[in-house]
């Protein structure tokens, strides 16, 4: 299992980046840059060292996805990190239908134990109003989801 240090978000961040990279919602460069930062902050972490040396990005994603203890995932941390990344994707995507399609695929990539928990569940159904042409309602649903962790 990927090593969790007290008070850090390495596990949750790695999972968010692995999922987003798999879904082409972040670039390999973004993933690598964040991985470098995490490693520099914790150079003794064997998992980060392994990932730093792994040159095959698909193998890195598989390593992360198969070495996380999903039962001990800090769901709120994971959600806050994921939603913050999705806000940037939403702001930079002018086609709501394209965004909606990507979000449904993202929902399918989430760990099964959190798919039916809000705000993640929203990713499954937010595109429904598009079937009757209601882009405004779809945007409202996504924007509500993107504000889920607003303090």
């Amino acid at each position: 299992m990927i090593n969790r240090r007290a008070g850090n978000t390495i596990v949750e961040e790695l999972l968010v980046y692995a999922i987003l990279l798999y879904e082409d919602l972040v670039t390999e460069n973004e993933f690598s840059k964040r991985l470098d930062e995490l490693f520099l902050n914790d150079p003794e972490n064997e998992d980060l060292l392994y990932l730093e040396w792994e040159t095959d990005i698909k193998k890195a994603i598989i390593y992360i996805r198969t070495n996380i203890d999903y039962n001990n995932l800090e769901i709120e941390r994971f959600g806050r990190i994921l939603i913050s990344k999705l806000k940037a994707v939403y702001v930079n995507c002018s086609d709501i239908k394209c965004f909606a399609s990507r979000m449904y695929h993202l929902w399918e990539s989430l760990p099964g134990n959190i798919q039916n928990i809000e705000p993640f569940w929203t990713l499954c159904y937010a595109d429904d109003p598009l079937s009757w042409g209601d882009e405004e309602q779809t945007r409202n649903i996504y924007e509500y989801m993107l504000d889920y962790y607003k303090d």
Side-chain angles (χ1 to χ4, degrees), residues 1 10 12 48-49 65 75 94 102 106 111 131 134 141:
M1 294 295 127
I10 288 175
E12 290 77 19
L48 295 175
L49 178 62
R65 297 291 310 249
I75 296 170
S94 60
R102 297 179 90 189
L106 173 65
S131 65
D134 194 343
I141 294 168

Side-chain angles (χ1 to χ4, degrees), residues 35 39 45-55 59-60 63-64 67:
L35 179 59
F39 179 70
N45 187 306
E46 293 178 18
D47 297 304
L48 295 175
L49 178 62
Y50 171 84
L51 291 167
E52 280 285 305
W53 282 97
E54 181 56 69
T55 58
K59 287 183 181 178
Y63 181 86
I64 294 167
N67 285 288

Side-chain angles (χ1 to χ4, degrees), residues 31-91:
F31 172 81
S32 296
K33 183 178 177 189
R34 186 60 186 139
L35 179 59
D36 291 346
E37 292 168 356
L38 292 170
F39 179 70
L40 290 173
N41 288 331
D42 190 2
E44 302 298 316
N45 187 306
E46 293 178 18
D47 297 304
L48 295 175
L49 178 62
Y50 171 84
L51 291 167
E52 280 285 305
W53 282 97
E54 181 56 69
T55 58
D56 184 333
I57 199 70
K58 289 180 182 177
K59 287 183 181 178
I61 291 171
I62 291 168
Y63 181 86
I64 294 167
R65 297 291 310 249
T66 58
N67 285 288
I68 287 196
D69 181 358
Y70 292 99
N71 293 322
N72 288 315
L73 185 69
E74 292 192 21
I75 296 170
E76 184 174 340
R77 278 187 185 178
F78 173 83
R80 286 181 181 275
I81 296 165
L82 178 65
I83 294 298
S84 73
K85 294 294 176 194
L86 292 182
K87 282 181 182 180
V89 174
Y90 180 76
V91 167

Side-chain angles (χ1 to χ4, degrees), residues 8 14 19 42 51 61 83 95 97-98 114 116 124 127 132 143 148-149:
N8 73 26
L14 286 175
I19 292 170
D42 190 2
L51 291 167
I61 291 171
I83 294 298
D95 183 351
K97 291 176 185 172
C98 177
I114 67 169
N116 297 330
C124 174
D127 63 339
W132 59 84
E143 289 168 12
Y148 187 84
Y149 294 106

